[in-house]
Amino acid sequence: MATINSERNFICANWSQYDQKCAREGKFACKNCLLVLYCGSDCQRGHWESHRSDCRKNPLLKPDWRPRWEVEHRVPTFIGGPRYQAYNHQRKYPWGNVPAFDLVNLASNEGVHYSKGLDLLFAASGDIRNVIKTVVSLPDTFRSPIRIYMNDRDGDVVGRNAIILLLALVEDDDVVATENIIHLWYSVFIPQSLQDVLKGKIHELVRDICTKIEGKSPSAVLGKTWTFGSRSLRLVLTKKQWFDLLSSLEPPAGLTFERAREIRRNVTLADQRLDFRERKYFAQSPGLRASSQKFREDGVLLPFGTPRASFTVPNPTIFRDTNSWPMKDDADPLYGWKMSEIYGSSSGAATNDIYGKLVVLLRDTLKHFHRRLNAADISFHLTNVNAEDLYNYVQPATFDRIEVSNISDAGYLGMPQTIAFIGRMLKEPEDNPHATLVALFLNAVDELYDDNEKLKALQSEMKQVWSYMTPSPPTGPYDAKVIIGDIATQQVRDVNTHFDRYMKRHNFAKIVELFEMEFKKQHTIIDPWPHGLKKKPHQKGAKEEFLMLLSSGLSGCERYMEWRYKR
């Protein structure tokens, strides 16, 4: 069987996994869709019958495409139309839902010549993207020890993070490690070669632990440290969690490719979610919506024109049983990375291939991460406990940076509890005056912005929206552009005023008084509103920035806060 060197960024699309036609580099894009690449006109003609349905016959690529609720003159289901049905799905987030950021940012804090070690805590880590972003953002000259603690209450998330790190640590070849990590992390189906690694090297490491604790009680806790030269990975789990990790290294018994694909498509392509999908698509460019639809269909993260025929093994870290898909229907790898960085990555002449751009960005990032690991004095410590209990697992360690994700939202731990349980693990100013805890609020503005608030601000906000978008006469009562304009009002919202009210409602001043901590007025790690609009309507690039935010999974209302001990 012929194999693809899938590490090559740009491959001619005239390829069949089992009947090789062309293995040359793709230099020229299909001019109609700008999604696939060919080495020349002969291959493009030879591939046309296969490509036609993705190209000229694909309605999503038409600039004048409209959602079906509008074409059919009916009430869309997200407003409660007649076809509305309750929709149930699990809510796991193995891909994250906000872009990765660098938790350290030495240049704006300790300085690029800082020579002491770094102790970092990701207290509710979710996937590993912030860890990877932080490590690759350190100056190349940084050679001091790095200790990274990662915790999450979801055992599957912790298990996936451990496997990703092991894939990086046991493999010397950065190209092989990068491809394995990308597909273990983001692809719903993986090639047999990756499954062989999971059942080989990784399975052997985990099985040894499970054999030793066979006779222990299910709640017995065991820590294991694997050492790879100057690098190490310590994993602390209960017996049950260790065996769950072992079982995640191969697909559930009886789960075939066909059945796994059906399970996922029943969620990602559910009929009752059609209007929700198309509402999202209408805010996207033709190339992005065609690419998004393809990922919903096949779930493999590759450039658009790269063949998927070898990706036939259900990803065992995602499919944990034979009956369910664990994510929301709109879960998307794009959400975990900045759209500006994705669009800034080259997909060659296939400029509409957004997922291809993401693949390039991930390859560059993960190669850098792998090379940093090989040269670093770095240790990883992973736990699977509630954030409230984390102190008991990491003491006496204290940290230069702590990231808590959005457990600081009022619907989770809330800011007072977060400071009480996790803030005490931050280093004192005499140990590191730049030590910072970073909290994220995803729901704060929405909590304050009820229907009455929206009604008062609607006229003003819509006026601002139309200064970024070109208005047009509505086609009917449920005109798609009007609906998207209404959604876009969150992008122009007076978020500072609403967040000030949120802080008063939740008595942040009392937090400062009780815990001897304060929030920074000038951030030094991440912008308070990193995803909000930066350009005014009259400025160059403002419309492009507005439309990029509108097509992303973000609202612009995501608020970060940086906390430190009082000076």
Side-chain angles (χ1 to χ4, degrees):
M1 180 181 74
T3 59
I4 296 176
N5 178 5
S6 57
E7 189 274 334
R8 283 173 50 192
N9 290 339
F10 314 123
I11 189 170
C12 178
N14 190 26
W15 235 98
S16 170
Q17 185 71 22
Y18 302 105
D19 179 22
Q20 181 176 347
K21 294 180 181 178
C22 181
R24 291 188 289 270
E25 183 179 359
K27 297 181 179 179
F28 310 100
C30 170
K31 291 183 180 179
N32 186 66
C33 66
L34 296 176
L35 287 170
V36 298
L37 295 165
Y38 297 102
C39 62
S41 56
D42 288 345
C43 272
Q44 184 172 10
R45 284 192 293 269
H47 190 245
W48 177 242
E49 286 304 313
S50 299
H51 181 54
R52 187 198 304 264
S53 61
D54 286 331
C55 188
R56 290 188 187 274
K57 288 191 174 183
N58 187 347
L60 293 173
L61 282 172
K62 297 185 183 302
D64 60 352
W65 173 85
R66 309 294 289 196
R68 268 171 276 191
W69 80 75
E70 190 182 279
V71 175
E72 296 168 3
H73 305 289
R74 58 174 173 80
V75 180
T77 56
F78 50 78
I79 296 178
R83 302 194 318 178
Y84 177 80
Q85 301 175 43
Y87 186 70
N88 297 312
H89 49 66
Q90 297 183 45
R91 286 179 176 265
K92 286 183 178 284
Y93 297 93
W95 296 336
N97 55 2
V98 289
F101 74 96
D102 170 19
L103 180 61
V104 173
N105 194 357
L106 273 184
S108 298
N109 292 279
E110 292 88 348
V112 294
H113 300 298
Y114 186 68
S115 59
K116 294 182 180 179
L118 287 171
D119 298 302
L120 313 176
L121 171 61
F122 298 82
S125 67
D127 72 354
I128 201 170
R129 67 193 188 285
N130 285 340
V131 172
I132 290 175
K133 182 72 172 178
T134 299
V135 171
V136 302
S137 299
L138 290 170
D140 290 338
T141 54
F142 188 84
R143 291 290 184 268
S144 300
I146 309 166
R147 289 195 301 170
I148 297 177
Y149 286 73
M150 300 171 62
N151 176 72
D152 200 273
R153 68 178 182 178
D154 187 327
D156 289 340
V157 168
V158 174
R160 279 168 53 84
N161 289 341
I163 294 168
I164 287 170
L165 287 171
L166 286 172
L167 288 173
L169 291 166
V170 303
E171 177 57 61
D172 294 331
D173 188 316
D174 61 356
V175 171
V176 173
T178 293
E179 294 302 304
N180 283 342
I181 291 171
I182 287 175
H183 297 302
L184 189 285
W185 193 353
Y186 288 121
S187 288
V188 176
F189 300 97
I190 60 175
Q192 186 61 47
S193 59
L194 174 51
Q195 180 57 43
D196 291 342
V197 175
L198 297 179
K199 280 292 292 176
K201 296 177 183 179
I202 310 301
H203 188 274
E204 181 180 342
L205 292 172
V206 179
R207 184 192 59 208
D208 286 348
I209 310 305
C210 292
T211 300
K212 292 177 182 177
I213 61 175
E214 184 72 46
K216 304 282 187 181
S217 69
S219 60
V221 177
L222 178 75
K224 169 63 180 178
T225 302
W226 293 289
T227 302
F228 308 86
S230 62
R231 307 157 298 157
S232 66
L233 167 60
R234 180 168 178 78
L235 186 56
V236 180
L237 301 173
T238 64
K239 175 188 171 181
K240 181 183 181 303
Q241 292 164 348
W242 277 109
F243 277 87
D244 285 345
L245 177 59
L246 186 67
S247 70
S248 74
L249 296 174
E250 55 184 324
L255 183 63
T256 63
F257 167 78
E258 291 76 16
R259 175 59 182 151
R261 181 176 59 185
E262 178 187 20
I263 290 169
R264 179 174 180 270
R265 286 182 174 180
N266 284 343
V267 175
T268 61
L269 301 176
D271 289 342
Q272 62 265 47
R273 298 291 288 180
L274 171 66
D275 293 348
F276 292 82
R277 286 196 298 279
E278 295 198 339
R279 178 177 61 179
K280 181 72 176 176
Y281 290 168
F282 191 74
Q284 297 176 337
S285 66
L288 178 52
R289 60 185 177 232
S291 300
S292 297
Q293 177 70 12
K294 186 176 181 66
F295 187 79
R296 283 179 180 257
E297 291 170 357
D298 65 38
V300 178
L301 186 57
L302 285 170
F304 197 99
T306 302
R308 275 97 166 130
S310 65
F311 289 75
T312 58
V313 180
N315 188 327
T317 69
I318 295 177
F319 288 101
R320 302 294 285 116
D321 58 51
T322 59
N323 299 305
S324 62
W325 173 248
M327 302 184 218
K328 294 175 64 179
D329 61 306
D330 63 348
D332 197 314
L334 294 174
Y335 294 168
W337 302 90
K338 285 185 180 179
M339 289 298 282
S340 58
E341 293 181 357
I342 295 172
Y343 276 87
S345 299
S346 174
S347 54
T351 53
N352 279 343
D353 185 8
I354 308 305
Y355 289 80
K357 291 176 180 291
L358 175 59
V359 170
V360 173
L361 174 64
L362 288 171
R363 283 174 175 159
D364 290 345
T365 301
L366 290 170
K367 280 183 191 174
H368 191 178
F369 178 68
H370 188 265
R371 290 166 185 167
R372 288 302 300 259
L373 288 191
N374 284 338
D377 178 356
I378 187 167
S379 61
F380 297 95
H381 307 254
L382 275 63
T383 52
N384 175 204
V385 299
N386 288 325
E388 304 97 297
D389 303 321
L390 187 54
Y391 177 77
N392 297 323
Y393 287 79
V394 304
Q395 64 172 323
T398 55
F399 299 94
D400 300 285
R401 303 285 192 278
I402 299 176
E403 191 261 325
V404 299
S405 187
N406 70 312
I407 63 173
S408 44
D409 264 327
Y412 295 97
L413 269 187
M415 200 68 245
Q417 296 276 70
T418 298
I419 293 294
F421 287 116
I422 301 173
R424 59 179 171 166
M425 293 183 272
L426 193 66
K427 286 184 178 178
E428 299 276 358
E430 55 266 29
D431 296 320
N432 184 352
H434 300 280
T436 303
L437 181 149
V438 180
L440 168 62
F441 298 85
L442 291 178
N443 306 312
V445 173
D446 284 346
E447 182 182 316
L448 272 293
Y449 203 78
D450 57 20
D451 289 342
N452 289 331
E453 290 283 344
K454 182 171 184 177
L455 197 59
K456 286 189 290 185
L458 184 60
Q459 185 174 357
S460 171
E461 289 180 349
M462 285 302 297
K463 183 178 180 181
Q464 292 181 70
V465 166
W466 294 124
S467 67
Y468 287 96
M469 297 173 66
T470 304
S472 57
T475 59
Y478 300 106
D479 178 81
K481 193 166 187 178
V482 173
I483 289 172
I484 293 303
D486 180 59
I487 293 171
T489 56
Q490 61 191 345
Q491 299 182 189
V492 299
R493 197 148 291 158
D494 183 6
V495 289
N496 283 311
T497 296
H498 292 301
F499 195 74
D500 286 345
R501 290 175 54 212
Y502 178 88
M503 289 193 293
K504 289 176 183 176
R505 172 181 288 186
H506 293 283
N507 207 352
F508 277 33
K510 191 69 173 178
I511 301 174
V512 173
E513 179 185 330
L514 286 175
F515 298 106
E516 294 296 312
M517 296 190 77
E518 61 185 3
F519 49 87
K520 297 182 187 176
K521 292 185 176 157
Q522 295 295 324
H523 280 206
T524 60
I525 293 173
I526 184 169
D527 188 295
W529 306 97
H531 313 303
L533 295 176
K534 303 295 187 288
K535 297 179 184 293
K536 300 297 183 184
H538 64 276
Q539 292 181 302
K540 184 178 180 180
K543 183 176 181 180
E544 290 78 7
E545 180 192 46
F546 180 89
L547 294 176
M548 183 179 292
L549 176 58
L550 186 59
S551 69
S552 72
L554 302 165
S555 67
C557 298
E558 300 82 6
R559 175 60 149 93
Y560 285 87
M561 287 191 83
E562 297 182 10
W563 292 78
R564 65 186 177 190
Y565 278 108
K566 282 185 179 178
R567 302 296 174 90

